[in-house]
Amino acid sequence: MVDKFVGTWKMISSDNFDDYMKALGVGFATRQVGNRTKPSLIINMDDQGMICVKSQSTFKTVEIKFKLNEPFEETTADDRKTMVGWDQKSMCESPLTWVNLVIGNNLHFSFNLQTVFTLENGNLVQKQNWDGKETIIEREVTGDGKLIAKCVMGDVVAVRTYVKEA
């Protein structure tokens, strides 16, 4: 199922990305650069099921490697870090991004779910959790061969469209 995503993809449009970055908490200067950058997306998969997603531009290149359904720590292009954390305040504010081990009536530990990629209805879905927040990036290959990345943070949705390079 991941095979249709494999290749080099060139961005051709980006809609509402500034509002999405604002919702993430990205600062003004980084948003200005992010809005002007049109990264290529390079997706590969090895024979062990390890997937590599590289976002490459003249400004910055970010590469992540992962297996489907396996949480991992990620540093995003805007320097957010999705990693194990012990912030009780965040856990209380956003319990859906935390897993708790409860034995009897005692809470033994909590940890943040980090970043995880899944396949849902043929789409490659990336969930990033950090500081009690969550964003979802859903990538879909359409019938006309475009890769559509829908980026969701709360009620803000950005859409980035890519075409496959030969």
Side-chain angles (χ1 to χ4, degrees):
M1 278 298 255
V2 175
D3 292 343
K4 65 183 177 183
F5 294 95
V6 171
T8 300
W9 301 85
K10 179 182 175 183
M11 182 187 290
I12 58 170
S13 69
S14 181
D15 299 312
N16 207 36
F17 196 60
D18 189 60
D19 286 341
Y20 173 71
M21 288 189 292
K22 278 183 196 174
L24 292 175
V26 176
F28 178 78
T30 302
R31 287 198 330 267
Q32 295 306 302
V33 172
N35 285 322
R36 288 186 177 87
T37 303
K38 292 196 179 223
S40 291
L41 196 59
I42 303 161
I43 303 174
N44 295 303
M45 184 173 72
D46 69 19
D47 55 0
Q48 314 288 281
M50 184 67 71
I51 300 167
C52 177
V53 175
K54 183 189 289 188
S55 176
Q56 185 173 326
S57 72
T58 55
F59 173 67
K60 192 171 199 173
T61 296
V62 176
E63 180 178 75
I64 53 175
K65 294 182 179 182
F66 58 91
K67 287 190 175 186
L68 290 176
N69 305 310
E70 292 185 14
F72 63 97
E73 294 183 359
E74 176 186 8
T75 299
T76 64
D78 60 329
D79 288 327
R80 285 175 293 118
K81 292 173 179 41
T82 66
M83 63 180 61
V84 173
W86 299 94
D87 182 353
Q88 189 71 29
K89 180 176 182 283
S90 294
M91 185 183 76
C92 293
E93 290 173 358
S94 184
L96 297 178
T97 64
W98 293 82
V99 173
N100 303 312
L101 174 64
V102 178
I103 300 174
N105 292 326
N106 299 317
L107 174 65
H108 289 267
F109 66 85
S110 298
F111 60 94
N112 194 310
L113 290 179
Q114 309 163 317
T115 294
V116 67
F117 276 81
T118 57
L119 271 179
E120 298 177 22
N121 301 315
N123 296 339
L124 189 59
V125 179
Q126 177 182 7
K127 294 180 182 176
Q128 298 172 331
N129 294 284
W130 78 104
D131 296 338
K133 301 173 189 173
E134 180 179 76
T135 186
I136 298 172
I137 303 166
E138 184 171 349
R139 295 173 177 92
E140 169 188 13
V141 176
T142 61
D144 61 356
K146 293 179 181 168
L147 187 150
I148 308 295
K150 183 171 74 169
C151 310
V152 179
M153 179 67 187
D155 60 355
V156 177
V157 178
V159 176
R160 306 189 101 186
T161 304
Y162 300 80
V163 292
K164 200 167 197 175
E165 293 185 344

